[in-house]
């Protein structure tokens, strides 16, 4: 879908807008967003977050045929720009306030733990229409610097599930796919000390 259509007032991002494995944009280095952030990138970021909300809504996701998502990166929409959105809900239903709900412009990992971590069930990707098994080993804790939609420079520390999600999204800005991290010969091999997250 071309950018103008993506940005149209009444367009909601759907699976047809998401490019798949083989599209060279997924392997490109995405360009920085210049400041002050132009309106079109604010709009795109908001639509990316709306997609995640819709994808996590049982009714909307069914209606729109969306795969569930907790993160999305602009290159997945064939927009080679350094914009990611994350919506990682906390699983306890008591306080349904989401754990992290943010649009990050020009996100950058400025510090990280030596310790590594991975999701117990491996990872998938909205741009990959096949299951690829294996542990995707990432940093257990990261410090991310980014610009938010109000143009403020923010610095956040992440650990656990949300740290994994943000690393998966930042990888997309650098043309890296989750399966690039999987040990081909021993996909479930774990070095000592790697945290396996439920
Ligand atoms: C872990 C998970 N990955 C889902 N999909 N994959 C994605 O988000 C890809 C990105 C994630 C893959 C691993 C790390 C980042 C998308 N990617 O390609 C973007 O680059 C989920 F959908 C999901 N959840 C748990 C929470 N649930 C709340 C209720 O709604 C359903 C939702 C399902 N957890
Ligand atoms: Ni992905």
């Amino acid at each position: 879908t071309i950018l103008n259509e993506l940005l149209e007032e009444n367009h909601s991002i759907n699976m047809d807008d998401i490019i798949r494995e083989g599209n060279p944009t997924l392997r490109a280095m995405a360009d920085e967003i210049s400041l002050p952030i132009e309106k079109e990138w604010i709009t795109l970021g908001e639509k990316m977050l709306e997609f995640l909300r819709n994808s996590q809504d049982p009714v909307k996701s069914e209606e729109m045929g969306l795969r569930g998502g907790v993160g999305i990166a602009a290159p997945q929409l064939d927009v080679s720009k350094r914009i990611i959105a994350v919506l990682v809900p906390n699983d306890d239903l008591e306080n349904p306030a989401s754990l992290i709900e943010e649009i990050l412009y020009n996100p950058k990992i400025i510090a990280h733990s030596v310790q590594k971590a991975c999701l117990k069930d491996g990872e998938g990707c909205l741009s990959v229409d096949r299951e690829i098994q294996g542990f995707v080993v990432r940093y257990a804790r990261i410090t991310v610097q980014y610009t938010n939609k109000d143009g403020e420079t923010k610095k956040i520390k992440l650990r656990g599930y949300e740290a994994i999600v943000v690393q998966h999204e930042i990888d997309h800005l650098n043309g890296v796919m989750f399966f690039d991290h999987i040990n081909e010969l021993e996909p479930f091999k774990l070095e000592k000390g790697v945290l396996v997250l439920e």
Side-chain angles (χ1 to χ4, degrees), residues 56 68-72 76 89 119 123-126 161 165 168-169 172:
Q56 294 183 21
V70 291
I72 190 166
Q76 294 182 277
L119 296 182
E123 297 188 12
C125 183
L126 295 171
Y161 180 31
V165 174
H168 177 111
E169 302 319 326
H172 276 304

